[in-house]
Amino acid sequence: MLLAIDTSTSAISVALHDGTTTVAERTVLDARAHGELVAPGIAGCLADAGLTAREVDAVVAGTGPGPFTGLRVGIVTARVFALARSIPVHGLCSLDALAHEAASTMLRGTDRFVVATDARRKEVYWCGYRVKSGVLVRESDPAVCRPADLAPLLDGRAVVGRGPVLYPEQLGEPLDGAPLDVSAGSLADLAARRLARGEDLSDTTPLYLRRPDAVPSAPAAGA
């Protein structure tokens, strides 16, 4: 039983996956309450599935990219849960999970597309993807930039995520049915597939891509 947690976007998402399918998932949209909502989400999923924490065999966290505070809440929670239970903890790029959901549902038959999520500061986190022989692969590393700088790089590719909702003039109108935020169920499903292929997902280092908004104050003169 795999517990998945993602707090890289405005969605605080938690899910349980049995290796084949998602058995419980809870998601709340709130860009400022990640710390308050993750634990209730875990408890709710366990209750929905009729399980206890002792029945969770591994944890996977979405590693971003995402805003500093929200992102680290999910990763730290995953690490602490795994440590308390002495079970493995895995990490997976959150953009990969969103791309997996899009490719598995509304973008079937599309071999190239872009994921763009809200990075605040009038920027987006983005990554290009290709579906090759049924397997999702990245065409670029995750990056952060202004929508106007991403637009010339699209080359006609569809864009999914909250980016097109926020910046339709640069990224195109949102596609019907396209996922906007990361689903922990999709994160868990992709992690389960990659683990079954023998991939190493042990790295839970957060992908911040830029410095945090809050920085230490400069010492006062003469201090």
Side-chain angles (χ1 to χ4, degrees):
M1 188 63 64
L2 180 65
L3 170 66
I5 303 170
D6 191 276
T7 56
S8 66
T9 64
S10 56
I12 299 95
S13 190
V14 179
L16 287 166
H17 193 282
D18 65 5
T20 302
T21 189
T22 298
V23 297
E25 182 170 6
R26 290 202 176 194
T27 299
V28 179
L29 291 178
D30 193 325
R32 299 184 181 278
H34 295 78
E36 293 85 349
L37 296 173
V38 171
I42 295 172
C45 278
L46 289 170
D48 293 344
L51 300 173
T52 68
R54 295 184 180 87
E55 294 172 276
V56 175
D57 303 304
V59 187
V60 60
T63 56
F68 184 82
T69 302
L71 179 59
R72 70 177 179 175
V73 166
I75 295 175
V76 169
T77 302
R79 290 173 177 173
V80 170
F81 188 103
L83 180 64
R85 287 275 299 108
S86 297
I87 57 178
V89 58
H90 307 291
L92 191 67
C93 173
S94 302
L95 298 181
D96 290 359
L98 206 156
H100 174 63
E101 180 179 358
S104 301
T105 54
M106 47 78 62
L107 284 181
R108 288 174 180 166
T110 301
D111 62 347
R112 298 181 69 230
F113 63 97
V114 169
V115 171
T117 62
D118 183 15
R120 302 178 189 173
R121 303 185 191 176
K122 297 183 179 180
E123 293 180 326
V124 292
Y125 296 116
W126 74 278
C127 189
Y129 292 89
R130 177 187 297 273
V131 179
K132 187 176 181 180
S133 301
V135 178
L136 184 72
V137 295
R138 291 186 201 155
E139 290 190 315
S140 57
D141 291 328
V144 59
C145 71
R146 296 180 303 170
D149 295 329
L150 175 57
L153 306 178
L154 293 179
D155 191 27
R157 290 177 290 179
V159 183
V160 299
R162 199 164 286 276
V165 176
L166 297 172
Y167 309 103
E169 292 185 1
Q170 293 87 3
L171 305 182
E173 292 293 331
L175 302 177
D176 290 341
L180 301 181
D181 300 296
V182 179
S183 155
S186 295
L187 179 78
D189 188 68
L190 181 59
R193 291 168 186 255
R194 290 185 173 178
L195 289 169
R197 294 199 294 265
E199 294 187 30
D200 180 9
L201 303 182
S202 59
D203 188 1
T204 60
T205 304
L207 297 171
Y208 291 129
L209 300 189
R210 67 185 183 200
R211 295 176 63 84
D213 292 323
V215 295
S217 300

